[in-house]
Each structure stands twice: as structure tokens, then as C-alpha cells.
Amino acid sequence: MADQSFQERTERATPKRRDEARKKGQVARSRELPSVCVLLAGLAVLFVGGGYMAAGSLSLTRHFLGNAASLTLSPETVPAMAGFCVGQFLRILGPLLAVLAGVAAFVNLLQVGPLYAPQLLRPDFSRLSPAKGIKRILSAQAFVEFVKSIAKLGIVGWIAYTTVSAEYGKVVSLVDQGVGQILLYVGGIVVALLWKTGLALAAMAALDYLFQRWEFERNLRMTKQEVKEEFRQTEGDPHVKSRIRSIQREMARKRMMAEVPKADVVITNPTHLAVALSYRPKEMSAPVVVAKGAGRIAERIREIAQEADVPVVENKPLARSLFKGVEIGSAIPEALYQAVAEVLAFVYRLRGKKAGGRG
């Protein structure tokens, strides 16, 4: 058997392999996607509720500046002042923080779904190994992250340059404007820059997510030998299962053969098929097939019947119908009542009994 390390991972991961990876916290997840979504959500909240937050901040500033002369710091006043500040902070920035936390949780939930991986909380002292640290730094994953960081810096720099350079001609005219108009103009440029940057990063995050899924599926692939080993562990060794089925068939065959001496008649065709019937009027509503077989098994049924002095009757159509249509332990169908009754009557006459003697 070839060593598994030299086998190509060409097989898709099995459900068991995926479950094991998920329990270890190994899922396809982009770290860029939640960050970008949080950035865009924050910009949207600032665009919609920026006036409310600005007004709240100005009101709080006026409160402290207007009462600066009367404010005293002491062990008695500090707790009340701290509680007031925290309350105002939550009132002003609470909606923004709630939206950012909700968006971050929602995006992560969309990526990986509900995930509970306690193994990630366990301390892993192997990460303290310098050799492994250097290996992680020089790994392909680290190189990809480095390339992404350079690409993000380049894109953000290019967007900033093009946005600011487009407004360069208007900057000179700001000399004659008031402070409020200058701040409003600069704020507009900053908002436009943030939106452009956010959308560009969103496109990069979408590509990163697709790459992470592809990388995850590639790392999760299995060799043909791994698939076989997993199948053996979950379903059992095929050779063992085949042996068990063989033993079960042999035991069922022995139980069937033990019923042949108790049968009333064995119907044959005459050499290929043999069907043993038993009929107890007080216990059965119709004759029951207690044994049947073809080839070597049929021959053995005839031998046992002859040794036990069970009549063997040749009837080709009836033997084929019983063999194909009736399972062992089942009563014969109504369509065969007449044919079987004639055979049983013949058997009873051979035994010197009256037709009504046994039903």
C-alpha cells in the first residue's frame, strides 16, 4: 500500500470529515468581510443619525463648560458624575454601537452558522514553539495575507489620491470661506473618501471570502485511502460484513433444513427446485412454505425428505409458482389453494389416510 502522504487528495471531504473539522473550529471564514460590513454599517448610521450624535455631543459639552465653575470633584460627587457621563455616552453612541455589534454577529453567523468549538478555548502551548512560529510566518497563508494587506494599502492610497486630487482646484477658493463652510466641505470629502474606500474593500472582501472557501475545500480534501478507512470505521470492514452475512445465511439455511422432516410434502420440478410445505389445520389457515431452494439446496431438501419419509411430489408449474411467489414462513396465496389441496390429498391417500383425516 502506498504511503498516504504521497497520495493526491482528489476526493471531496465526507460529511464525517466536515463535522470533525467544524468541531475543531475549522470553517471557511473571511476575516475581511465582517470588518468591511461593520465599516459600511457605521458609515450608514453616521449618515442617518450623525446629526443626532453631533447634537448630543454639543449638548454634553455645553453642560460641562457651562457648569465648570460649580463642579467639584470629591469622593461623593465622582460616582454620580461618572454615572451621568456613562448614561450620556450610551444615549449618544448606543445606537451606533448596537448596530455595529449586530452587523458583526450577523455576518459571522451567515458565514459559518451556529458554531460551538470548545477546543479553541483550550491553551495550545505548541504555538509558543519558535520553529512553528517561523513556519507560520513563512507559510503560504501568511504570504497571501501579506499580499492582501499590500493590495488594500494600494487601493486605499489610490482612492485617496484620486479623490483629493479631484478637489484640488476647489481648495484655493476656501480661503474666502468661513470655518463652518470649510469644515462642511472637508467633511463631505472625508465621507466620499470613506464610502469609496468601503465599497472597494467590500469587493475585496467578497473575493477573499470566495478564496477562503476554495482554500478550505482544498485543504479538506481526502485521499482515496482515507475515504476507504473512514468507510471501514463507520460502516465496518466489507470483508467482515460479508463474513457475517455468510454466517447468517448458513444459520438460516440450517434452521430451514431442520423444518424439512416436519413437512407434509416436498414439491419439485423435479431436479432444479424443491419446496417443502407444512399444514396444521388447527394452527394454520393455509399451508405454509417451510423450506425452499434451488440447485444444491433443492437436492439437499429432497435428500432430507427421503430420509425422514416425507413424500416428494413432482409438479413443475406448482414448484415454480411456490418458489417465485412465496417466501419461507409465509402461507400460500389463494390462487394456489386448489393445486396444493390436490397434492396434499394425493399425499394423504398415499399414507393410507382419509382426505378428511387431517383437514
Side-chain angles (χ1 to χ4, degrees):
M1 182 185 298
D3 192 276
Q4 291 188 19
S5 60
F6 295 100
Q7 295 186 22
E8 294 186 4
R9 297 181 178 274
T10 58
E11 306 302 311
R12 289 179 60 87
T14 60
K16 182 175 181 293
R17 180 69 171 262
R18 295 180 184 276
D19 290 340
E20 291 176 351
R22 188 173 182 82
K23 290 177 181 178
K24 297 177 182 178
Q26 299 174 2
V27 292
R29 181 173 65 91
S30 170
R31 298 178 181 177
E32 309 294 335
L33 198 58
S35 303
V36 172
C37 291
V38 166
L39 173 62
L40 294 177
L43 291 176
V45 173
L46 290 176
F47 181 78
V48 174
Y52 165 77
M53 287 184 281
S57 300
L58 290 174
S59 175
L60 185 61
T61 303
R62 291 194 189 99
H63 171 76
F64 280 106
L65 292 178
N67 298 282
S70 60
L71 291 177
T72 57
L73 297 178
S74 65
E76 292 77 16
T77 60
V78 168
M81 188 180 299
F84 174 78
C85 291
V86 171
Q88 294 299 312
F89 174 81
L90 293 177
R91 181 180 66 84
I92 297 170
L93 297 180
L96 174 63
L97 297 178
V99 170
L100 296 183
V103 169
F106 180 71
V107 173
N108 279 298
L109 188 64
L110 282 182
Q111 284 195 96
V112 301
L115 178 63
Y116 176 68
Q119 294 186 12
L120 296 179
L121 302 178
R122 300 174 184 173
D124 187 3
F125 296 104
S126 64
R127 293 181 175 272
L128 301 178
S129 171
K132 290 189 176 181
I134 294 174
K135 185 177 180 180
R136 286 195 299 270
I137 294 174
L138 301 179
S139 64
Q141 183 68 25
F143 178 75
V144 171
E145 295 296 328
F146 174 75
V147 172
K148 287 195 300 183
S149 300
I150 296 298
K152 285 191 291 185
L153 287 175
I155 291 175
V156 171
W158 179 78
I159 291 175
Y161 172 77
T162 55
T163 302
V164 173
S165 61
E167 301 291 334
Y168 182 76
K170 302 178 182 178
V171 174
V172 180
S173 63
L174 294 178
V175 177
D176 300 328
Q177 304 294 328
V179 176
Q181 292 176 323
I182 293 176
L183 292 176
L184 185 63
Y185 176 76
V186 173
I189 294 177
V190 172
V191 171
L193 180 61
L194 289 175
W195 274 113
K196 291 179 181 179
T197 303
L199 294 176
L201 292 178
M204 290 188 62
L207 294 176
D208 180 64
Y209 176 72
L210 296 177
F211 171 77
Q212 294 296 337
R213 286 198 65 87
W214 174 82
E215 181 73 7
F216 175 76
E217 293 293 337
R218 186 177 70 86
N219 292 333
L220 214 60
R221 283 184 175 273
M222 306 169 65
T223 64
K224 294 182 182 297
Q225 184 62 30
E226 288 175 336
V227 174
K228 291 180 181 178
E229 291 296 333
E230 182 180 301
F231 178 79
R232 287 177 180 175
Q233 293 175 2
T234 56
E235 302 295 333
D237 192 325
H239 298 290
V240 175
K241 294 179 68 176
S242 176
R243 177 60 179 164
I244 292 174
R245 287 194 294 267
S246 177
I247 294 174
Q248 290 174 341
R249 286 195 297 268
E250 183 62 26
M251 293 176 63
R253 187 178 301 117
K254 288 182 178 179
R255 288 194 299 268
M256 180 183 72
M257 292 301 183
E259 295 295 324
V260 175
K262 305 174 187 178
D264 289 290
V265 64
V266 172
I267 302 174
T268 66
N269 76 335
T271 57
H272 297 89
L273 300 177
V275 181
L277 295 178
S278 180
Y279 181 49
R280 303 290 183 271
K282 296 181 179 180
E283 304 172 7
M284 307 173 183
S285 59
V288 173
V289 174
V290 295
K292 69 175 182 177
R296 181 68 185 87
I297 297 177
E299 182 180 348
R300 182 58 183 157
I301 290 174
R302 290 195 301 272
E303 291 175 357
I304 295 176
Q306 291 171 358
E307 293 172 359
D309 198 23
V310 176
V312 178
V313 177
E314 178 183 340
N315 189 324
K316 296 181 181 180
L318 181 57
R320 286 195 295 266
S321 299
L322 290 171
F323 184 82
K324 294 181 179 179
V326 186
E327 297 295 329
I328 297 174
S330 300
I332 65 172
E334 188 175 352
L336 300 178
Y337 279 3
Q338 181 64 32
V340 172
E342 292 175 357
V343 172
L344 290 176
F346 171 73
V347 170
Y348 297 154
R349 285 196 299 271
L350 285 180
R351 290 180 175 177
K353 295 183 178 182
K354 296 182 179 179
R358 296 187 61 183

